[in-house]
Amino acid sequence: GIKGLERHYNKVLNQSKDGVLQGDRDVLSYISFDKNSIIRKRIDGATLNLNIPLKLQKNNETTLDVYKEKLGADEIIVSIMESKTGKILTMASSNRFNPEKIRKEDIGSLNVNAVEYQFEPGSVVKPLSIAIAMDKGLIKKNESFPAYNSGGGKGVYKIGRFNIKDDHAFSKSYLSLDDIVMYSSNIGTLQIAQRLTGPEFFEGMKRFGFTRKTGIDLPYEKKGVMPKVWQFSAGDKEKRDNVFKATVSFGQGMTATFIQLLKAYSIFNNDGQMITPRIVNYLTHDGNKYKPYEDKPEKIVSKETADAMKKMLIKTVTDGTGKSAKIDGLEIGGKTGTAQIARGGKYLKKYISSFFGFVNDDKGNSYTIGVTVINPISTGTHWYYYYASWSAVPVFKEIVQNLVKLNYLTPKEGIIPEKK
C-alpha cells in the first residue's frame, strides 16, 4: 500500500488505458465496422512479479513469531538475499498486520523498519572498517595488536578523556587479526582504524553504503548519519588518535539501516562486489515482460580483501562469537553485534542485537542473511538474551534450516544438518 511496493511502483501500476470501440452505428445502434472504425483493446496497469517465494516467507514469519515471544522483543527483522544477484527471497518482520483490516494498534507496524529504522549497529560494523584498512595494505600479514589488558582481563584504551573497553577478556597481551574479528575486540578494531586518514575512513564507510540509500525498491528509505569528514580528520597531521574514527569503527556514534548492513555484507560473499537488493523480479505490462532497473555490481574492495575477511567471518562461526550458527555441511560466516538504543542524546537500558552473515553450499547456492532483534529481554532470569549470540544468532540458524528444509540449500553429501 502507501508504505510498500505499490507506492514505489505507483506510476507503472497506473499506466492503464480504456479500450475503445468506435464507428458508425446502424438503426439498431450496433457499430458497423469498416476501415474507418477504431478498435483498441483495454490495457491494464503493470503487474509486479516478486522474488519472494510465499512458502519460504511464511516459514520465516512463523520462526519470527516464535522467537519474538521467547525473547520478549519489540520486533525481529530478517532478510535473505541472493549474494550474486541481489534478489530478496525473504523480507520479514515479527510485527505484521492484515491490510484489509488495519487496527489502531497496527499503525506502528505500517513502517517498513528494514529500510526506515535507523540505529547504532554495533560490532557488525567491525569487519567493514577493518576491510577498508586491509584494502589499502595497512595491515601486515600475521601482524599482532596490543590488547591493552595489563597482562590479562578486559582491555582499556584511552583516547583523551575517553576510556574504551573490550567486553571480552583476553588472557594474552597481543591479538591477531583473527582474534579481533572472532572475539569482537573494540580495542583491536580502533587501532586498525587509526591507520586510515580521516578522508580515507569517511570515504571507505561511504563506499560500503553508509549515508546513502541502497536503492531497494521500497519508498521512504533512510540513509543513517555519520560524523563529518572533518571530524574524522582531527589529529591526522599530528598522528593523534581520533575518537570519532574509534567509535564508528565498532559501530557506535553513527546510525545505519538494516538494509544497508545486509547490502554491505554481501560484499564478502561476492568477490568484493556490492549489488542493489531487489524485491521485484520483473514487471509485466501489455503482454510484455521487463525489468524496471539495471543491475550493475559496484566494486567496493578487492577480491583478495573480501576473501580474507570471508575466512575470518567463517572462523567467527566455527570458533568465535557466532558458534551457535554453525550447521554441518554448509559454509557459514557472520558477525554478531549488540548496541544500546539511543534516544534524546542518551543511551537507554535497551538493546539491539544483530547477526549479519552468509551461507553457501557446494551446489552454488549463495545467500546473505541479516537478523536484527529490537529490544529483547535484558533483565531478570533471561537478562543475557540481549547478547546477539543468544538472540540474533539462533534466529539466523533457524532461518538457514528453513532454507535447507525447502531445498534452497543442500548440505554437503554425507553430513546431516543438525535438527532443532
Side-chain angles (χ1 to χ4, degrees):
I2 194 168
K3 299 283 280 188
L5 293 169
E6 292 92 340
R7 174 76 182 216
H8 183 84
Y9 288 102
N10 186 58
K11 189 175 180 180
V12 292
L13 291 176
N14 287 317
Q15 282 182 347
S16 59
K17 291 182 180 179
D18 292 332
V20 174
L21 288 176
Q22 187 176 317
D24 295 329
R25 295 180 180 271
D26 60 21
V27 292
L28 296 176
S29 293
Y30 290 109
I31 295 175
S32 300
F33 293 106
D34 56 29
K35 64 179 182 179
N36 297 316
S37 301
I38 298 174
I39 303 173
R40 188 170 66 222
K41 70 173 184 175
R42 187 184 73 187
I43 299 174
D44 293 324
T47 300
L48 305 181
N49 298 270
L50 309 188
N51 292 312
I52 297 176
L54 184 59
K55 193 169 184 180
L56 178 62
Q57 177 80 6
K58 288 291 186 185
N59 276 30
N60 290 331
E61 287 176 350
T62 300
T63 296
L64 297 192
D65 293 342
V66 171
Y67 274 96
K68 181 184 179 182
E69 184 175 350
K70 178 181 177 180
L71 300 171
D74 289 350
E75 183 177 10
I76 306 176
I77 303 168
V78 161
S79 191
I80 303 170
M81 181 175 75
E82 288 186 359
S83 299
K84 306 280 190 260
T85 66
K87 289 182 179 181
I88 296 286
L89 300 189
T90 285
M91 181 166 283
S93 166
S94 60
N95 297 4
R96 300 185 300 281
F97 58 91
N98 180 353
E100 294 180 358
K101 191 178 180 181
I102 296 174
R103 303 165 300 173
K104 186 177 179 181
E105 55 266 36
D106 293 330
I107 291 173
S109 300
L110 298 179
N111 296 328
V112 184
N113 280 340
V115 303
E116 294 183 54
Y117 184 60
Q118 301 168 106
F119 60 97
E120 286 195 358
S123 295
V124 291
V125 169
K126 289 173 182 172
L128 311 177
S129 52
I130 291 170
I132 297 168
M134 288 174 64
D135 207 51
K136 291 190 173 294
L138 297 177
I139 303 173
K140 296 174 186 174
K141 190 175 181 181
N142 301 321
E143 186 175 359
S144 294
F145 302 83
Y148 288 89
N149 59 6
S150 302
K154 296 181 180 180
V156 177
Y157 191 99
K158 293 181 179 294
I159 300 180
R161 61 188 176 88
F162 300 98
N163 289 334
I164 296 174
K165 301 177 181 179
D166 267 335
D167 289 329
H168 189 91
F170 293 99
S171 57
K172 47 190 176 181
S173 298
Y174 283 83
L175 306 174
S176 68
L177 190 56
D178 283 0
D179 291 333
I180 292 169
V181 176
M182 287 165 56
Y183 302 110
S184 202
S185 170
N186 294 337
I187 290 171
T189 304
L190 73 84
Q191 289 179 77
I192 292 168
Q194 300 303 333
R195 297 180 178 184
L196 293 155
T197 66
E200 284 174 337
F201 186 78
F202 179 82
E203 290 302 324
M205 294 296 281
K206 198 169 179 180
R207 205 166 63 249
F208 264 105
F210 299 113
T211 71
R212 59 185 176 123
K213 294 181 180 181
T214 65
I216 189 171
D217 40 1
L218 284 171
Y220 307 114
E221 183 182 2
K222 300 294 190 294
K223 298 189 290 187
V225 295
M226 201 166 57
K228 308 295 183 186
V229 65
W230 62 264
Q231 292 174 293
F232 288 129
S233 301
D236 276 1
K237 290 181 180 178
E238 301 83 4
K239 295 189 176 178
R240 287 188 288 110
D241 286 344
N242 179 290
V243 71
F244 293 102
K245 269 189 284 190
T247 54
V248 171
S249 75
F250 50 78
Q252 293 182 12
M254 63 169 287
T255 62
T257 64
F258 175 93
I259 201 66
Q260 283 175 325
L261 294 163
L262 185 77
K263 183 176 180 179
Y265 263 77
S266 68
I267 293 163
F268 302 129
N269 206 31
N270 191 25
D271 300 332
Q273 296 184 107
M274 186 162 70
I275 193 160
T276 302
R278 304 288 187 186
I279 296 174
V280 170
N281 188 7
Y282 61 90
L283 303 178
T284 51
H285 188 234
D286 194 21
N288 299 312
K289 185 196 306 189
Y290 68 96
K291 283 197 172 186
Y293 50 79
E294 289 184 29
D295 286 321
K296 290 183 178 178
E298 186 181 356
K299 191 75 173 174
I300 305 301
V301 296
S302 68
K303 184 179 185 304
E304 292 72 26
T305 296
D307 288 347
M309 183 53 70
K310 181 177 181 177
K311 287 177 183 176
M312 284 184 267
L313 294 173
I314 291 169
K315 282 187 178 181
T316 302
V317 169
T318 56
D319 301 301
T321 57
K323 267 196 271 194
S324 53
K326 184 180 176 184
I327 296 176
D328 290 338
L330 295 172
E331 181 181 67
I332 298 175
K335 181 74 187 72
T336 53
T338 302
Q340 281 182 273
I341 296 174
R343 194 168 297 153
K346 294 181 179 179
Y347 285 109
L348 310 178
K349 288 187 177 179
K350 295 181 178 183
Y351 300 85
I352 291 181
S353 302
S354 298
F355 188 78
F356 284 84
F358 52 83
V359 57
N360 305 311
D361 65 13
D362 59 1
K363 307 291 184 187
N365 299 305
S366 175
Y367 305 105
T368 301
I369 302 174
V371 176
T372 290
V373 182
I374 301 174
N375 193 28
I377 294 168
S378 58
T379 58
T381 309
H382 296 103
W383 61 269
Y384 49 85
Y385 278 176
Y386 81 90
Y387 283 117
S389 56
W390 285 93
S391 54
V393 177
V395 176
F396 180 98
K397 182 173 184 176
E398 190 151 331
I399 296 301
V400 173
Q401 288 172 329
N402 288 343
L403 285 167
V404 172
K405 185 167 61 177
L406 296 176
N407 300 315
Y408 290 90
L409 285 167
T410 305
K412 198 170 182 181
E413 208 168 313
I415 299 176
I416 300 173
E418 178 187 339
K419 290 184 179 177
K420 192 175 185 299

